[in-house]
């Protein structure tokens, strides 16, 4: 038996480690900035690029794709070659993957704060970046699969299975959720509308948690916990059962994000059922990780790596217990839209993802630098800062979330809402927001200690760039494995045909999907009509400013909600909403029935200074909406793109879009003037300002079901075109 | 609600991919031995760290 000598590329591992730390700190700091805005709404508020609505997606993207993402690759590029007893298939692809991924992150930083966003959570990046993500992801996948193909170890260890599942599923999710039609270089509209868009988004959104924040980290757990404790995994059989059951169940759980919404009931029930089942594989995995340390708990006392990992797995257990519980309709009715969910995800993010990421950093760094950890004591201090930080973050959010939600639902003996003013319920939990910011600060201080420790560790050694390793060649595997795989297929024409059909089907469905979806977008409520050009602009401003990060547009059919907001939301009202803007969190009240509730001048004053209309409000001021001009130039293109995705504008509507915008904007400005709002504190209110478009959109929201609307009635297009809206045939 | 059928289709496709992978794994004997793999990963055949190199060649499968 010949023995091969080969090398592990530690440089790419080191690079991903550095990226994990740098982006981690940036992501955490952005998180702290947005947390402080809950206590001091004006904090950095004068800079539009740093407003809450624009920074919140930057925070989530930074911690998910930059911090956790780089940590995943850090773990994969370290463990995969060692498990396969082979160097990575292509060092060049590793390098392209590394720099490509960093480019994606930098382009997120360069777009999100400037209001370039799709508004779909964790898929906010616009279409050119989506294409880049696809390319880089495929490069990662090819490099990984090829490494597995030429492994020198016949057995595929369970961690690798988790990595494969991550690659395959994220690829499918990203592709399906990113079907969008570009309107301009940096603006696109999804082919899906309303309920359909919501369903696709949360199918993606939930599985992003499942296959980006869970499965790769489970793979990491299955490699690094045994390695760090020098104990085999408690039960290898359980790990295999864990893997296969988890991936088969996870992908159906998405609809639990849409309970009590306009999504069909059976789809909601399906989501709940699968979410409940998930507790079995999740807890199986959690116990498997913890029980690995049987008889080695003394090591946990000594070793910071194990400390981080034990807390990570414990947190995984907590979060995967909460998940199924939150998917039960009655529980969801209280927790959804509240800060409880923010607590839930940070439990997972700070301790599960953060814990494993830092555990890995402490494990790998001394090894690839051939040295010892600079200071175990400092690592222990980091551990306690991280753990206490997470506790100070999570518990106030649980407390505050439940408190606020119960206040929303409270009725007096006479049957009126006890807290009819939404603001009262917000002010009530501001102390909790302050505690949360304190917890976050602790976590960041801990991370800074950690980074200092790791830098010192690296400096005390030198990087072993190419680590030499030896393993016997896998003779049977080399060469004829591919042939035999093919020959087997050739010998089984039925199976071969089936696989081919499947491949063609997928391709066919992908091509056919947009058309089929557009056809099925036929409105179910006759009086619901598309937005006028000015309202489209207002909607795009709403998206760019990230209003959906704090305001939902989905009134659930509870008495407490219909009393507060008005008629509950119906699926048919959203058929022209590309994208849907239902939101997932109510820091402010729901806006679906805001149209016509207040005069235009109220909105103008509210945007300029929320405290002037709602004293004590923590909504930031949007003064720049009064000074920045709206974008009229690209409107014909945007109307064109919306027509392509199925909004039934007349094909000639783009020609009249700008005239329509001007006419409607003039009318609103005129109305404001008549009420004495020509200026606000010296700022002249003119018709081309962004705020006018936003007012037009807000005043339209949720009003169509009354059947009294004629949105295009007074506009120039209706006089020139016999039909602004194509009749549905 | 046309899209739900597409999502079901994609979900089933992903599931099928994994089902095929699962059958392949079982057939090719990936899961025949449910103990050694868990122990084997603990040994690294690094030339630089000379520890335990003697254990590496005990694979007798």
């Amino acid at each position: 038996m010949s023995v091969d000598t080969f090398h592990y590329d530690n440089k790419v591992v080191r690079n991903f480690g550095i990226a994990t730390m740098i982006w981690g700190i940036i992501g955490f700091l952005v998180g702290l900035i947005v947390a402080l805005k809950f206590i001091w709404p004006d904090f950095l508020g004068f800079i539009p690029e740093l407003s809450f609505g624009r920074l919140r997606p930057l925070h989530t993207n930074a911690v998910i794709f930059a911090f956790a993402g780089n940590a995943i690759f850090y773990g994969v590029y370290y463990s995969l070659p060692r498990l396969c007893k082979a160097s990575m298939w292509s060092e060049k692809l590793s390098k392209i993957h590394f720099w490509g991924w960093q480019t994606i992150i930098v382009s997120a930083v360069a777009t999100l704060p400037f209001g370039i966003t799709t508004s779909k959570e964790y898929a906010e990046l616009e279409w050119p970046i989506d294409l880049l993500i696809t390319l880089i992801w495929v490069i990662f996948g090819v490099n990984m699969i090829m490494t597995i193909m030429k492994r020198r170890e016949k057995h595929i260890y369970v961690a690798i299975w988790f990595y494969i599942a991550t690659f395959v599923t994220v690829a499918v999710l990203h592709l399906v959720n990113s079907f969008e039609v570009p309107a301009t270089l940096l603006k696109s509209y999804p082919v899906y509308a309303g309920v359909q868009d919501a369903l696709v988004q949360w199918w993606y959104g939930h599985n992003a948690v499942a296959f980006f924040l869970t499965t790769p980290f489970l793979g990491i757990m299955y490699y690094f916990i045994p390695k760090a404790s020098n104990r085999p995994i408690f039960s290898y059989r359980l790990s295999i059962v864990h893997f296969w059951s988890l991936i088969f169940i996870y992908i159906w759980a998405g609809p639990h994000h849409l309970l009590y919404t306009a999504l069909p009931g059976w789809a909601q029930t399906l989501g709940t059922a699968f979410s409940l089942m998930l507790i079995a594989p999740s807890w199986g995995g959690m116990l498997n990780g913890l029980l690995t340390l049987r008889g080695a708990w003394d090591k946990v006392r000594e070793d910071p790596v194990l400390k981080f990992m034990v807390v990570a797995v414990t947190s995984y257990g907590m979060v995967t217990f909460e998940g199924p519980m939150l998917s039960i309709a009655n529980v969801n009715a209280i927790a959804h839209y509240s800060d409880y969910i923010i607590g839930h995800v940070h439990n997972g993010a700070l301790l599960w993802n953060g814990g494993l990421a830092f555990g890995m950093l402490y494990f790998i760094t001394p090894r690839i630098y051939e040295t010892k950890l600079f200071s175990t004591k400092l690592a222990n201090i980091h551990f306690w800062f991280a753990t206490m930080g997470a506790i100070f973050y999570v518990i106030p959010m649980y407390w505050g979330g439940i408190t606020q939600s119960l206040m929303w639902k409270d009725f007096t003996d006479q049957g009126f809402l006890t807290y009819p003013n939404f603001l009262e319920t917000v002010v009530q939990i501001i102390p909790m927001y302050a505690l949360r910011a304190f917890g976050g600060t602790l976590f960041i201080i801990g991370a800074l200690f950690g980074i200092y420790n790791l830098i010192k560790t690296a400096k005390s050694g030198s990087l072993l760039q190419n680590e030499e390793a030896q393993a016997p060649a896998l003779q049977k595997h080399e060469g004829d494995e591919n042939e035999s795989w093919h020959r087997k297929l050739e010998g089984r024409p039925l199976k071969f045909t089936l696989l081919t059909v499947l491949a063609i089907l997928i391709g066919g469905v992908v091509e056919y999907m947009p058309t089929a979806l557009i056809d099925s977008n036929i409105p179910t409520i006759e009086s619901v009509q598309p937005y006028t050009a000015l309202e489209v602009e207002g909607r795009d401003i709403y998206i760019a400013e990230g209003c959906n990060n704090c305001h939902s547009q989905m009134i659930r059919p509870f008495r407490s909600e219909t009393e507060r907001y008005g008629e509950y939301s119906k699926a048919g009202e959203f058929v022209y909403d590309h994208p849907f803007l239902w939101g997932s969190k109510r820091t402010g009240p729901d806006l679906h029935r805001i149209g016509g509730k207040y005069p235009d001048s109220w909105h103008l004053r509210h945007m300029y200074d929320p405290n002037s209309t709602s004293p004590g409000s923590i909504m930031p001021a949007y003064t720049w909406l009064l000074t920045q001009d709206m974008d009229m130039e690209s409107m014909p293109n945007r109307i064109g793109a919306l027509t392509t995705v199925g909004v039934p504008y007349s094909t000639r509507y783009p020609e009249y879009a700008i005239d329509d915008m001007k006419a409607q904007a003039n009318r609103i400005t005129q109305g404001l003037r008549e009420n004495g709002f020509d200026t606000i504190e010296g700022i002249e209110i003119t018709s081309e300002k962004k705020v006018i478009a936003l007012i037009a959109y807000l005043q339209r929201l949720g009003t169509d079901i009354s059947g009294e609307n004629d949105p295009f009635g007074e506009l120039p297009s209706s006089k020139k075109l016999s039909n602004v809206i194509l009749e549905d045939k | 609600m046309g899209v739900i059928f597409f999502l079901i289709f994609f979900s089933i496709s992903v599931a099928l991919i994994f089902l095929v992978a699962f059958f392949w794994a079982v057939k090719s004997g990936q899961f025949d031995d449910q103990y050694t793999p868990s122990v084997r990963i603990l040994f690294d055949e690094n030339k630089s760290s000379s520890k335990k190199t003697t254990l590496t060649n005990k694979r007798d499968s």
Side-chain angles (χ1 to χ4, degrees), chain A residues 10-37:
Chain A
N10 283 341
K11 230 169 91 188
V12 73
V13 176
R14 190 260 328 251
N15 290 348
F16 275 118
I18 293 173
T20 307
M21 291 190 279
I22 293 176
W23 292 119
I25 289 295
I26 294 174
F28 305 156
L29 280 177
V30 177
L32 182 61
I33 292 173
V34 295
L36 291 175
K37 283 168 181 281

Side-chain angles (χ1 to χ4, degrees), chain A residues 8 347 612 645 722:
Chain A
Y8 298 136
N347 188 345
S612 64
V645 296
S722 57

Side-chain angles (χ1 to χ4, degrees), chain A residues 208-281:
Chain A
V209 175
F211 288 91
F212 204 84
L213 296 177
T214 307
T215 54
F217 283 91
L218 284 169
I220 284 165
M221 173 188 95
Y222 276 121
Y223 180 80
F224 287 95
I225 287 191
K227 288 298 262 189
S229 61
N230 203 24
R231 287 272 189 293
I233 194 77
F234 169 65
S235 163
Y236 194 70
R237 180 193 296 262
L238 180 58
S239 74
I240 292 163
V241 176
H242 173 205
F243 171 75
W244 293 105
S245 51
L246 191 80
I247 56 154
F248 280 120
I249 298 175
Y250 235 138
I251 204 153
W252 304 94
H256 70 216
H257 289 257
L258 298 168
L259 298 184
Y260 291 112
T261 66
L263 184 75
W266 65 272
Q268 297 186 24
T269 311
L270 183 83
T272 301
F274 277 92
S275 304
L276 281 171
M277 283 191 250
L278 265 175
I279 198 167

Side-chain angles (χ1 to χ4, degrees), chain A residues 70-117:
Chain A
N70 277 307
I72 293 167
F73 304 134
Y74 183 55
V76 169
Y77 279 93
Y78 183 84
S79 61
L80 182 73
R82 285 164 177 82
L83 287 169
C84 289
K85 301 262 182 287
S87 34
M88 287 303 294
W89 180 61
S90 159
E91 254 181 57
K92 193 177 260 169
L93 285 190
S94 308
K95 225 180 210 170
I96 296 175
H97 174 203
F98 175 78
W99 288 109
W101 196 257
Q102 311 315 315
T103 311
I104 290 166
I105 298 165
V106 170
S107 48
V109 177
T111 53
L112 294 173
F114 300 92
I116 298 159
T117 169

